Amino acid sequence: IIEEATQRDERAKSLEMRFKGLAKTVRSRITKKEVKDFIDSCSNIDIDIDIDTLTELALKRESRAKRLEMRFKLLSKGVKSRISKNRIKAFIMTGYPSIATMAEEALESERRESEVKEKLATLSGNVRNHLTQQEIDEAIVNNSFDSSELVKMAVSREDRAIHVKNKLFTLTETIRCRIRKQTLDMFIRYGAVVSQGELITSLDSICSGFRLPHEFHQEN
């Protein structure tokens, strides 16, 4: 135990001496876990890290950070803002994804945003309001669905909202008060509601006395 502690202390001191010769930004490229693994490698045969490897790793990461910084100067502010901090960190640490890939993805995201904004501008405020910001962001950032699908989703919800409104006009005040707003909102949003494992797609069924269990509303 004493021998291992001595070896760890020696490795820590040797690393400290080596790092004194490096710039602060270069030293910061090495994680606390990597430092710990280096110090512990004297007693763990599964860890094989020497001080030269660690130093080279720090220098490579700093080099990638500099290259990224130079490349970013050529990109517009809008494009740069679309590259997440996690992607940047991953590139600096591992070299992947490449700068070209990140820039291409950012440009594609900018193109999708322009397309989505253009399509949404053709809709009335009431129809646009059926879309959440998260859904719009998903279409832009993750390309989960294209702008046409986004518009179709909003229009379908508006159609269901009108259908609900017209249906409620035919009901008495007593019956209307029995129908939960959450239930109607869910129907407008998804075209269906779920109760006890059963999918209810008929507005008539909802309005004729169907009510979601209290527990369902608490969970959602």
Side-chain angles (χ1 to χ4, degrees), residues 11 33 36-38 40-42 44-49:
R11 293 175 80 84
K33 183 181 183 305
K36 184 178 183 300
D37 283 347
F38 167 73
D40 290 346
S41 63
C42 60
N44 190 336
I45 59 173
D46 294 326
I47 302 174
D48 183 21
I49 303 174

Side-chain angles (χ1 to χ4, degrees), residues 164-181 184 206-207 211:
V164 166
K165 186 177 181 181
N166 291 338
K167 180 67 179 179
L168 292 180
F169 273 129
T170 68
L171 305 176
T172 65
E173 181 69 23
T174 303
I175 295 176
R176 283 202 298 269
C177 289
R178 283 179 170 173
I179 304 170
R180 292 173 176 169
K181 182 179 183 300
L184 296 177
I206 295 172
C207 294
R211 297 179 69 188

Side-chain angles (χ1 to χ4, degrees), residues 74-93:
L74 303 176
L75 301 176
S76 69
K77 187 176 180 180
V79 173
K80 283 186 288 191
S81 67
R82 297 173 194 284
I83 302 176
S84 71
K85 290 181 179 179
N86 285 340
R87 300 282 274 175
I88 291 171
K89 183 178 179 181
F91 169 73
I92 291 172
M93 297 296 282

Side-chain angles (χ1 to χ4, degrees), residues 35 89 155 174 197 210:
V35 170
K89 183 178 179 181
V155 170
T174 303
F210 169 73

Side-chain angles (χ1 to χ4, degrees), residues 74-219:
L74 303 176
L75 301 176
S76 69
K77 187 176 180 180
V79 173
K80 283 186 288 191
S81 67
R82 297 173 194 284
I83 302 176
S84 71
K85 290 181 179 179
N86 285 340
R87 300 282 274 175
I88 291 171
K89 183 178 179 181
F91 169 73
I92 291 172
M93 297 296 282
T94 67
Y96 298 96
S98 69
I99 297 175
T101 298
M102 288 191 289
E104 188 178 330
E105 289 173 348
L107 287 167
E108 178 62 18
S109 176
E110 188 174 50
R111 183 196 65 76
R112 284 197 300 269
E113 181 177 25
S114 176
E115 186 179 284
V116 166
K117 283 183 176 179
E118 188 177 319
K119 283 289 180 70
L120 293 184
T122 65
L123 303 176
S124 68
N126 285 341
V127 178
R128 282 199 305 272
N129 288 339
H130 286 296
L131 298 172
T132 66
Q133 188 58 49
Q134 182 179 347
E135 287 169 334
I136 295 171
D137 291 343
E138 283 284 324
I140 295 169
V141 180
N142 299 327
N143 199 21
S144 302
F145 30 76
D146 62 31
S147 57
S148 296
E149 290 173 316
L150 204 62
V151 168
K152 192 182 296 184
M153 189 188 302
V155 170
S156 294
R157 288 173 181 173
E158 175 65 4
D159 288 343
R160 287 194 291 269
I162 293 171
H163 182 36
V164 166
K165 186 177 181 181
N166 291 338
K167 180 67 179 179
L168 292 180
F169 273 129
T170 68
L171 305 176
T172 65
E173 181 69 23
T174 303
I175 295 176
R176 283 202 298 269
C177 289
R178 283 179 170 173
I179 304 170
R180 292 173 176 169
K181 182 179 183 300
Q182 287 172 297
T183 303
L184 296 177
D185 288 345
M186 192 173 297
F187 174 77
I188 291 170
R189 187 170 177 75
Y190 301 109
V193 290
V194 179
S195 176
Q196 299 174 345
E198 184 181 0
L199 189 68
I200 310 296
T201 58
S202 168
L203 182 60
D204 288 335
S205 297
I206 295 172
C207 294
S208 62
F210 169 73
R211 297 179 69 188
L212 288 173
H214 181 62
E215 294 78 7
F216 183 88
H217 291 293
Q218 285 183 324
E219 292 174 4

